[in-house]
Amino acid sequence: MSDPILQFEFPKIYSFPPFYTQQPNTTVLNQQLDSWVSIILHYCEYYRITSLSIEGIPKHSQLEVPLSSLSSIFINKTINRQVNSDFQKLIVKHLIHNKKAEFINPKKPELGVYIYWRSLVDWGDLLYQYVDDTGQKGTVLTIYELTKSEETTVPQDLHNLDETFLVKIIKDYLIKQGKAQLLIDENNEIGGVKIV
Amino acid sequence: MNHSNTTNTDRDAYLQLGKSLNEQHSNQLSTQLQVFQSALINFANDHGDEISSNLEFKNKFTQIVQSIGIDPLDLLLYTSQNDRNGGTSNSNSSSNSSSNYKRSNVVATNFGVALAVKIIEICQQTRDLNGGLISLKELISTLQNSCETEGISLVVSEKDIESSLNNLNTLGKGYEILIINGKKWLKFSSTENLSNDQLKIYELCEFMGGYVTYRLLRDNYGWDKVRCKTVIDEMIMNGFLWVDSQDNGEWQYWEPSWISN
């Protein structure tokens, strides 16, 4: 698949040079952080990016597009501006504070964050609805066939979902709701999942 | 004794006559104003829709109304009230005419009030971004853009905005029109009046494409470093300027209305 992907259209403030400098005025800074959060969420939703490095580089996208073509969202070569490391951390912290992001591994922040342009609950409901609609409740399914299978009719919203992200959706939401069970094999790895 | 009686009688007669003439004159004026007011009301009735949608027409009508000492919004409120109380001014009209009258009148009144509310909304939304100072051009642009997203084509002029602001100011001091570089800006910040130095910063920002630096201020105005720092720091503190530290070797201070121009 080589669909021509239109470039994401950034809002005008993305071309505003001071946008890349942490503002000293607290009120303006909060406005600035909110704007960064909004841009990151819309950008990730547009390219269906579910995880981002701390430096703003996409880690995984559901689209069939080489991630190398998407550079860091914190760098704007057109106006020769970029967010420095400290401000990057502050923006990510603001994302997490607003519950729009979560560390992939809280003990290893350098691994990056999941981006919740769609909440875990909504992701989980999507997955549950798909399994229910296709009459597969109570059936053991592999993680692979839930996202990457070309044979079954995995809905576009779930297609190509990152496996670790999918496991997180199941663990953090569906299992806690009593709607799913994970099957662990003898190697202590996930062998499958059953939606109940 | 006879002479004294004659003088008093004459004085009383003259007073009575003077009072009578004044009353007569006052009554005539009052009648003329009422006739003219009634004519304006009928005119608003007949052309209400056009007044609402035709800006040039609306402006001229407003001037006529104001020239006889009537607040145009009061006229609209009066006609609305009159309409609500039975519509004596159009009691002879057919029901269709009455319906048209109500719609056009409501449209005109609501237009001014809705515009005032819209202005407040936009000011609140942009306050943290621009520190409480927005150009009328940007205000109108934002208004029209937000309406276009709803499929509404809005026609608003700076005069419409200023008229709405006059009503807002009766609620207390909070919205003020400034003129910078010959262009009108709306200041809705609680900050005190902008100093001349601050106004000069805005002027230079416009000429330089949105930002100033210490060197630009020195070269254009002859300011020393202390004066530059004092004004810029105050404007940063008030949220009027954003800081950019990534130009080669020199800090830039940007004026946020650049974002929408």
Side-chain angles (χ1 to χ4, degrees), chain A residues 12 15 20 23 25 81-82, chain B residues 236-237 243-244 246 259:
Chain A
K12 189 70 184 301
S15 303
Y20 299 81
Q23 296 302 305
N25 181 303
R81 293 290 189 277
Q82 69 182 47
Chain B
I236 291 172
M237 184 182 68
V243 175
D244 175 22
Q246 295 183 44
I259 298 174

Side-chain angles (χ1 to χ4, degrees), chain A residues 12-13 15-25 27-28 31-32 35 80-84, chain B residues 125 128-129 236-239 241-247 251-252 254-256 258-261:
Chain A
K12 189 70 184 301
I13 195 173
S15 303
F16 185 49
F19 192 53
Y20 299 81
T21 300
Q22 182 176 335
Q23 296 302 305
N25 181 303
T27 302
V28 176
Q31 168 74 34
Q32 185 184 25
S35 295
N80 195 28
R81 293 290 189 277
Q82 69 182 47
V83 175
N84 68 20
Chain B
Q125 287 168 11
D128 291 350
L129 190 81
I236 291 172
M237 184 182 68
N238 290 331
L241 289 177
W242 284 50
V243 175
D244 175 22
S245 64
Q246 295 183 44
D247 194 42
W251 286 63
Q252 293 179 347
W254 286 76
E255 193 264 297
W258 177 93
I259 298 174
S260 61
N261 282 340

Side-chain angles (χ1 to χ4, degrees), chain B residues 65-81:
Chain B
V65 167
Q66 284 177 331
S67 68
I68 65 169
I70 297 181
D71 187 327
L73 287 182
D74 285 345
L75 174 59
L76 292 173
L77 290 176
Y78 170 76
T79 53
S80 296
Q81 168 184 307

Side-chain angles (χ1 to χ4, degrees), chain A residues 29-42:
Chain A
L29 174 58
N30 281 322
Q31 168 74 34
Q32 185 184 25
L33 290 171
D34 287 343
S35 295
W36 270 112
V37 166
S38 175
I39 287 174
I40 290 170
L41 291 175
H42 283 99

